[in-house]
Structures are given as C-alpha cells and as structure tokens.
Amino acid sequence: MGVKLLLEKANVPGIRSYDVYRREGGYTTAEKALKEMSIEAIVEEVKKSGLRGRGGAGFPAGMKWSFIAKPEGLPRHLVCNADESEPGTFKDRYLMEFLPHLLIEGLLISSFALGSNDTYIYIRGEYAWVATILEEAIAEATKNGFLGKNILGTGFDCRIHVHRGAGAYICGEETALIESLEGKRGNPRIKPPFPAIQGVWMRPTVVNNVETLAAIVPIIKMGGEEYAKIGVGRSTGTKLISACGNINKPGVYEIDMTISVEDFIYSDEYCGGIANGKKLKACIPGGSSVPILPANLLLKTAKGETRYMNYESLSDGGFATGSMMGSGGFIVLDEDQCIVKNTLTLARFYRHESCGQCSPCREGTGWMEKIIQKIELGKGEISDIDLLWDIQRKIEGNTICPLGDAAAWPVAAAIRHFRDEFEWHITNRELSQTSNFGLQHYADPIHVPA
Amino acid sequence: MSLQFNNEQMTELKRLVSRYPEGKQKSALLPVLHLAQDSFGGWLPTEAMDYVAGLLSIEPIEVYEVATFYSMYNLKPVGKFVFEVCQTGPCMISGSDNIIAYIQKQLGIQPGETTKDGVFTLKLVECLGACGYAPMMQVGKVYREHLTKEKVDAIIAEYRMQVIAQN
Ligand SMILES: Cc1cc2nc3c(=O)[nH]c(=O)nc-3n(C[C@H](O)[C@H](O)[C@H](O)COP(=O)(O)O)c2cc1C
Ligand code: SF4
Ligand code: FES
C-alpha cells in the first residue's frame, strides 16, 4: 500500500459529515495554522513542500502564493478551480463528493495565508449534486465556527461561496474562469496582467486546483519538509490519478509518484490490468491534452528505462518520445481501439470548446476535426496527414491561451506515433470501415496476459 | 406564461447576489440563469433573459451573450427529461456509440430531437467528468453511469412512470 495523505479517510463511514470528519482529527490542522502559525510560516511550509499545482500545469503552489500583490485597501481572493472538464479527469469530483470537509479545511488555511475573506469555489455546472454537498459542508463548518466571522477568535473572517459554471471547458483556464465568475463569457484574458495582480474584479487573485488546495492540509499537518520526502525529485507528495478506459478497475487512486507505469496499470491495487484479457495498445497518461503514447514508449522510455508515474519520468524524452503528467487523467486504450477515431473525438471536443477569440484556434480546431473525420470515414488522402501536421503546428504557440496547444498536441502525437494507422485508413478505405488496424508493432510483447 | 420568480425563488436570487461584492451583482448571472431555467420549464426564452437582465440591472445583451456561450442553457424548449449522453474519447472507447444508437432506437429520435409526446430529448455532449464510470449520461441534475442496454430500458421506464404518476 502506498502512502495516503488525501484519501486516507475516504472510506470512513459518514466522513462526508462534519461530525465524523472532526472526530477523525479534521480541522485540527486549521486550528494549528490559524492559532499558532504566522502567514509567512504557512507560505514557507507550502514552499518547502515542493507542492506543484495539480490542475495540469504543475506550477509550484508556494511560489504562486508569494506573487500575490498586497496593495492597501484592496481585497484579495482565493478561487478554487473545480471546473474539471479535461477529458479523462474526474479526481476533483471524487475529492469533493467524498471528502468535502478536507477541501474546506484546505481552503480555510489557504484563505488565511492569502488574506481572502471571500473565497470562491468555481465548480463545473454539471456537478450540481457536488455543489449541494459542498454547500451543506460549508453550512456545517460555519455552524461550528470554522467559517464566518472571527474564526477561532483570531479576528479572521472567511466565507466560502460555491459558484456553478454552466458548461464550458475553457472556464477551467484561470483567466476565463475569472471572466466567468464576473458573469461574462469565458474568454481568456491576455496576460499580463496576471491574476495575482489583477484577477477577479481587478483584485489580486490566486486560482488553485481542488487537489492542490486539499493537499495544503497534510502539508501543514506534517510540515513541508516531511511532505517533500514523499515522492521523488520535484514530484513531491502524493497525486490523485483518475484512471479510465479499457482497464479492469477504473477509478480514482492516490499514488506517491514512485510507482512505475507498468505497476500502476497491471497491479491489483490500481488499474488491475487490461479489461477482457486484451492487450495494451496506447495510453494518454495525463488528460486528453497530453501526448498519447504507444504501449512500448509508455512502459519504458526511449532509453529503455522504466517509466514512472511522476512529472519528470512521464515527460522523459520530451514530446518526441514522452508525454506529461498533466491533470492525472489516465486513459488506457486496448488493442481494439482505433487511434484515428479516438483522435477524432478529441479534435471535436477542442473545436466545440474553443472560445473563438483567436483565429488559429477557432479555425484550426474546425479544420482538424473535418480532416480527421474525412480520414475516419475512409475518404482521406495521404496528403491530408501532412496537412493535419501543418495545421497543428500553426496553432501551437500562436494563441491567447493554452487551449490552442492542448488541441494541437493530441493530433500531433497521434500522427507522430501512429502515422501508419492513419495511412492504413487512407489506403484501405473500405476495410477501415469494418475492421481495425489493431495492435501491429505498438505493444510491448512481454505484456501478453495469461 | 407569466415569467416571474415566486417568493421562494426571489429569496434564492437575493442569496445568490449577496455572495458577490457590492455593485458586482452581474457575477450572479450564471447561477441566476440556472435558477431561471429550472423555474421556467427547462429553457430560457428571450422573455426570461430580459427578466433576469432587469433583476440584475444589466443590459439584455449581456445576458444573451452569456446564455449563448454556455452549453447548459437551453435556448429552445426541451423535453421533460433531457438525456445528455457523453461521446468524448474515454466514453467512446468504453462503448458510448452503442449506447447512443440504442437510445436513438428506443426513443425513435435523433440527437437534438425531442419525442413527440415532449417527454424525452436526446443530446450528445462532451466529457462530463465521469470517464471512469462510462458509458454515462446526465439527466437533469443527476448522472446515470455504467450504462448498459438493460439499464437504459429501466431508466426510460422509470421516467415514463414518473410522467404517468404526475398526470
Ligand atoms: C483550456 C484549459 C483548461 C483548464 N482546465 C482546468 C481545470 O478544469 N481545473 C484546473 O484546476 N485547472 C485547469 N486549467 C489550469 C488552470 O489554468 C490553472 O493553471 C490552474 O487552475 C491553477 O491551479 P494549480 O496551480 O493549483 O494547478 C486549465 C487550463 C487550460 C488552458
Ligand atoms: S486559444 Fe482558443 S480557447 Fe484560448 S483564447 Fe484563443 S480561441 Fe479562445
Ligand atoms: S469522456 Fe465521457 S465523462 Fe469523460
């Protein structure tokens, strides 16, 4: 069993309620932080922990906190990013649904450290019942003096508000989220100014992911240095992975980032192997935006070394032969899956979710979808593959927000590693409509299930 | 149809607006549009959007541009139960195509359509954050997960029963 810092109590009956959470030692860390620690000391512990943002970009949380501007007389805000819309990602939902008070305790400590008296949880609109769970937990915490005015007699006031979005992946991008919180369309802002200087209502704002903010509790509880001892290198602490696709045990797992990708997929403690006795073909290890890898490059790096479930190892080899940790959305594809079709659904997703402000993203995502659709329907030309490559390159790096890159990368990686499958679709127009390219040379031959 | 919040809905409106700073009541727009959609039959006619604009002291155009941007707001009438089936990669590789085809067959409608009796609407949507519990769909405020043909049949029957019980 690996170390569990976030989900340790997830299976305690009734842990969703304040009483049980409290009985299990909940809110004692908030008491320690608010009563015994200075703001500087809290930020220092977070810095020492090496905690990297769990929303996808992996930016060090302590450093982000130290950037927040503190002009006289202007309120500051902490905003918790619970938009969770990256395909393959459903870990924040799990945390909020089963351990709402852990998030609230993390929000309280973080709000105290950042000086946020009104903290917002921006939750994707579809998670309506999760929003209700959070509101109930907030009411309980308020009743018990952990939210509201003069918390624990410290003079610190904190209210937490749950703000439901209304269906838009782009609102997970922090500046789009801020626009949406202001009651506008989710069009990302041009940076600078950064939210830490001018965020919501032009006030200094820190946006952090749900998991990042929940991790503040174990960090303050055990101390930043102890937390940093878990994991490896710059991948400190634990990470939630939401695993899905063709595996025996889809679900949310907490890992300590020292486990190998192979163990994660095949061990019974985690994914439990590929479903229906099939073979592993490919995997998108960090949410739909990160590069897909064929089985052989997933389990071992290009140098032939074991690949591990952490930031550094997953990105080993760069985009040529590696991928990314991203949001921790781990999507497994078995031998029966068609890479062209899978890429098509992702291209459609990004076309649908583009906010439309920048032409390379707005037009490019539409073109990519159309071309892949054409190939999928057995009507493609060989030159379409180069055209796709060209379009994705022209999107990448030429847009206001990273959604453009996020749309380009999956297409680029699919062509990079599975070009022969695209070609097969084009040269076998009829066959490709009734059968699949299959496994070919992608799988590691040692993984033939018994 | 008279589009007006009742007392209870007005109280909820005030609660929503109070979460944002003085003068920033526009921030309540998304939640208030959810409230309006839930209160006025599952969709947002222009009249409802204008009403919300008045309540929040903003221009109607500010409401229209938001209502048209977000996928959860229905700008046309929908059935009593809207089946929003996820079709994105993780659900697709877990068999959502078959489920979508089966629902189409059972309800006799195409995606985007509503059954003649006005009970069901079928919509295809993008990832709902339930990829590990695929195939899945959202119906109103709940998720129906791990869908199979049998489960789809049971769900359709369940909602039909609800309609009969209400009539
Ligand atoms: C298109 C797009 C979608 C994003 N969606 C999310 C999301 O759903 N949840 C999230 O926490 N971060 C998301 N992010 C990352 C946020 O912009 C931001 O980096 C993050 O919330 C910061 O929190 P962290 O440092 O704690 O990870 C997204 C970014 C982009 C470009
Ligand atoms: S890259 Fe796409 S989503 Fe991002 S701002 Fe530009 S058009 Fe909008
Ligand atoms: S892909 Fe269907 S819920 Fe995520």
Side-chain angles (χ1 to χ4, degrees):
Chain A
M1 283 291 278
V3 193
K4 300 264 180 289
L5 300 179
L6 299 173
L7 303 186
E8 188 194 352
K9 310 270 184 190
N11 294 323
V12 174
I15 193 73
R16 194 184 273 168
S17 73
Y18 171 84
D19 289 342
V20 176
Y21 182 75
R22 182 78 173 136
R23 198 175 66 220
E24 292 288 323
Y27 288 106
T28 49
T29 309
E31 288 174 316
K32 169 177 157 186
L34 269 65
K35 289 208 216 151
E36 296 165 23
M37 293 175 76
S38 68
I39 286 171
E40 295 72 28
I42 297 173
V43 176
E44 198 47 40
E45 291 305 323
V46 176
K47 277 190 182 162
K48 275 194 239 160
S49 74
L51 174 68
R52 295 169 67 173
R54 304 298 196 221
F59 191 82
M63 203 190 299
K64 184 185 269 191
W65 286 15
S66 63
F67 290 156
I68 192 165
K70 296 184 172 172
E72 206 49 45
L74 200 57
R76 300 185 286 276
H77 295 286
L78 169 65
V79 180
C80 171
N81 190 342
D83 194 52
E84 190 164 80
S85 312
E86 167 101 352
T89 317
F90 48 99
K91 64 183 179 78
D92 296 337
R93 162 186 169 183
Y94 187 90
L95 205 65
M96 294 186 286
E97 199 171 345
F98 297 103
L99 294 159
H101 283 286
L102 177 68
L103 175 62
I104 291 167
E105 185 171 7
L107 286 173
L108 170 58
I109 299 169
S110 309
S111 300
F112 178 69
L114 292 163
S116 169
N117 302 121
D118 283 282
T119 290
Y120 295 86
I121 302 176
Y122 184 103
I123 186 167
R124 67 175 300 173
E126 295 89 345
Y127 285 175
W129 80 99
V130 185
T132 307
I133 290 172
L134 289 172
E135 291 200 325
E136 284 165 6
I138 290 167
E140 282 184 312
T142 309
K143 205 175 106 208
N144 288 281
F146 283 100
L147 289 175
K149 288 213 179 306
N150 189 21
I151 298 165
L152 305 174
T154 57
F156 176 64
D157 301 342
C158 184
R159 300 197 296 168
I160 298 178
H161 314 277
V162 182
H163 179 105
R164 265 176 76 208
Y169 166 64
I170 190 57
C171 291
E173 193 282 330
E174 57 182 9
T175 60
L177 184 150
I178 287 169
E179 287 283 299
S180 184
L181 190 53
E182 293 184 358
K184 302 179 200 152
R185 295 166 78 98
N187 288 346
R189 294 178 180 172
I190 293 173
K191 296 193 262 191
F194 287 92
I197 314 292
Q198 290 185 332
V200 64
W201 309 302
M202 301 309 264
R203 297 169 177 182
T205 304
V206 164
V207 180
N208 272 135
N209 173 258
V210 170
E211 186 188 344
T212 311
L213 292 165
I216 298 301
V217 180
I219 288 170
I220 297 303
K221 186 172 181 181
M222 65 202 293
E225 261 168 50
E226 285 303 307
Y227 183 88
K229 285 183 192 157
I230 300 164
V232 56
R234 291 183 56 231
S235 299
T236 60
T238 61
K239 174 85 190 85
L240 297 183
I241 304 288
S242 58
C244 64
N246 311 119
I247 46 176
N248 280 318
K249 290 169 57 196
V252 177
Y253 299 103
E254 181 168 12
I255 60 162
D256 70 7
M257 296 197 269
T258 56
I259 180 176
S260 71
V261 176
E262 181 173 344
D263 283 347
F264 184 69
I265 295 180
Y266 291 97
S267 80
D268 284 335
E269 194 184 336
Y270 301 103
C271 303
I274 308 301
N276 305 314
K278 300 272 180 187
K279 291 180 206 143
L280 170 67
K281 175 170 182 174
C283 175
I284 305 174
S288 64
S289 304
V290 312
I292 187 170
L293 290 177
N296 48 7
L297 280 179
L298 175 74
L299 304 177
K300 295 228 184 331
T301 66
K303 285 176 262 160
E305 289 162 1
T306 303
R307 205 185 278 282
Y308 293 93
M309 296 285 291
N310 62 51
Y311 291 91
E312 290 76 22
S313 188
L314 283 172
S315 57
D316 186 295
F319 277 9
T321 57
S323 185
M324 280 166 79
M325 174 68 113
S327 62
F330 195 84
I331 310 168
V332 180
L333 285 76
D334 71 16
E335 57 187 299
D336 292 342
Q337 303 308 326
C338 168
I339 300 296
V340 177
K341 176 121 193 244
N342 184 62
T343 312
L344 172 61
T345 74
L346 300 184
R348 184 187 59 218
F349 172 80
Y350 290 104
R351 189 264 302 148
H352 184 257
E353 303 299 337
S354 166
C355 84
Q357 279 191 106
C358 332
S359 358
C361 171
R362 182 186 61 239
E363 304 301 323
T365 51
W367 294 342
M368 290 198 299
E369 183 196 2
K370 280 200 192 112
I371 297 167
I372 303 173
Q373 172 114 51
K374 199 175 129 196
I375 298 174
E376 162 68 11
L377 292 174
K379 295 181 178 139
E381 308 289 337
I382 287 291
S383 59
D384 285 337
I385 302 176
D386 288 333
L387 184 59
L388 268 178
W389 186 262
D390 194 43
I391 296 170
Q392 67 79 19
R393 271 194 41 214
K394 287 187 174 135
I395 300 175
E396 193 192 354
N398 291 323
T399 56
I400 293 177
C401 91
L403 186 138
D405 301 344
W409 294 343
V411 174
I415 297 176
R416 188 181 298 120
H417 300 300
F418 301 91
R419 193 179 187 110
D420 47 356
E421 186 160 344
F422 281 81
E423 287 172 354
W424 179 83
H425 261 261
I426 292 165
T427 49
N428 296 277
R429 294 177 170 220
E430 271 154 40
L431 189 62
S432 71
Q433 300 308 295
T434 52
S435 70
N436 262 326
F437 187 64
L439 212 49
Q440 307 292 332
H441 54 273
Y442 303 127
D444 185 333
I446 60 174
H447 288 293
V448 181
Chain B
M1 183 163 49
S2 95
L3 289 185
Q4 289 250 305
F5 284 150
N6 60 27
N7 285 344
E8 198 184 314
Q9 290 155 350
M10 271 301 185
T11 309
E12 176 64 4
L13 170 86
K14 291 203 187 92
R15 187 185 77 89
L16 292 173
V17 171
S18 75
R19 307 193 300 198
Y20 309 96
E22 202 57 45
K24 303 293 181 195
Q25 75 284 356
K26 180 174 173 177
S27 282
L29 181 53
L30 268 64
V32 173
L33 282 177
H34 281 305
L35 179 67
Q37 179 158 296
D38 291 346
S39 310
F40 304 142
W43 71 293
L44 294 170
T46 311
E47 201 191 340
M49 292 192 264
D50 293 347
Y51 176 61
V52 166
L55 290 172
L56 294 178
S57 314
I58 56 178
E59 295 300 323
I61 182 76
E62 295 178 83
V63 180
Y64 306 157
E65 59 180 21
V66 162
T68 52
F69 184 85
Y70 295 93
S71 65
M72 287 181 77
Y73 300 126
N74 297 316
L75 302 176
K76 285 187 296 193
V78 289
K80 215 169 163 51
F81 300 99
V82 185
F83 285 7
E84 301 185 76
V85 192
C86 175
Q87 57 171 347
T88 313
C91 276
M92 187 276 291
I93 62 173
S94 310
S96 62
D97 283 357
N98 291 339
I99 292 298
I100 293 165
Y102 188 70
I103 295 174
Q104 281 177 228
K105 184 173 140 255
Q106 294 306 87
L107 296 180
I109 51 174
Q110 296 295 311
E113 293 177 356
T114 300
T115 51
K116 280 206 188 70
D117 58 9
V119 176
F120 297 104
T121 297
L122 174 62
K123 265 177 136 178
L124 302 186
V125 298
E126 302 296 345
C127 182
L128 291 172
C131 328
Y133 323 108
M136 63 80 60
M137 65 177 172
Q138 181 186 0
V139 187
K141 289 190 174 168
V142 297
Y143 279 14
R144 311 300 299 247
E145 299 170 332
H146 296 297
L147 294 178
T148 58
K149 288 178 181 174
E150 295 70 36
K151 242 182 166 164
V152 167
D153 284 337
I155 291 168
I156 293 174
E158 175 191 325
Y159 290 131
R160 283 205 202 284
M161 286 303 284
Q162 276 189 33
V163 173
I164 292 166
Q166 279 162 13
N167 285 342

